[in-house]
Amino acid sequence: MNRIIAIIFALVLGAAGLPAAAENAAAGEPAAAEKAAGSAAGRGAGSAEMGALEVEVTLHPEEYRALLSRFVQADTTLTPAEVEKVYYGFPFTCAYEPRDSFPALREAFDSGDYREAARLLPEALELNPVSLDLLVMAMAVYDAAPGGEAARRSLNASLRSDMIASAILESGRGTIAPSPFRVICRKDMERILRNVLGVGVIVGVTHAGKVLAVKFRFPGKLREHILYFDNSLEENFLSTHPL
């Protein structure tokens, strides 16, 4: 919570110090985007940090599975470093498939058919247990359902989504391109913006170097802000795993 307040405080007071180049980057001007990105141009999933995590998950899959199992149980004794390993390590497992959109689940959720959504959610979360997008849906669906089991599942989804959101918000400053928030899929970026930070309108999303520059407004406000996200884990996967 303190991290969320600090980010919004910085944005509202202009502490992000958005230069003209950053404004142009979000408006879609390529040359300015490269300039605004600065040293971020060489960052991303190819960094030493992500490379080391890939090696660790690949060479010690049983250790990763043990951490993932604790996360699925919403084990609140997991340290921030362990949660970070669970979330950012998932793209280096064979289960990672960011193209999974779960259309039937999303249709049921968007139409308000929470009974059908509740039926479909367990399978979706089994396929992608670290999805902030799915966990946010799970909270809404199980909150609306009666009974102790629904309450238990809602609490589980709430704890897990809090852990994932905290890991993302601690992954960078977000307000400058050289220190973006890192996500493992674009849907999680959208959940951070809308459900965690309370963004009202997303004006546009463009590339600023190798990171995404998201221009947005808070509800009832005309002033536009920019946050930066590193979604290179998903982008690299899609480029190397064509359909």
Side-chain angles (χ1 to χ4, degrees), residues 36-162:
S39 61
R43 289 189 50 155
S47 67
E49 181 184 357
M50 289 295 102
L53 181 57
E54 179 177 12
V55 170
E56 184 175 353
V57 171
T58 302
L59 294 182
H60 305 286
E62 68 289 343
E63 294 179 9
Y64 178 81
R65 284 194 295 269
L67 282 177
L68 181 61
S69 177
R70 290 173 58 194
F71 173 77
V72 169
Q73 296 170 41
D75 183 350
T76 56
T77 66
L78 284 167
T79 67
E82 288 173 330
V83 174
E84 180 180 323
K85 185 181 297 185
V86 167
Y87 182 64
Y88 295 112
F90 192 69
F92 305 122
T93 70
C94 60
Y96 180 67
E97 178 44 87
R99 284 172 293 224
D100 284 341
S101 59
F102 308 106
L105 168 60
R106 203 163 297 277
E107 181 180 354
F109 182 81
D110 291 342
S111 66
D113 187 355
Y114 282 8
R115 182 185 295 272
E116 177 65 6
R119 186 184 71 81
L120 297 171
L121 265 168
E123 181 181 0
L125 281 168
E126 184 175 352
L127 291 172
N128 189 350
V130 304
S131 168
L132 182 61
D133 179 46
L134 292 177
L135 289 167
V136 168
M137 284 196 283
M139 282 192 294
V141 167
Y142 295 131
D143 273 346
E149 178 61 20
R152 185 192 68 78
R153 292 190 178 193
S154 176
L155 177 60
N156 175 283
S158 176
L159 292 171
R160 288 162 65 183
S161 63
D162 282 351

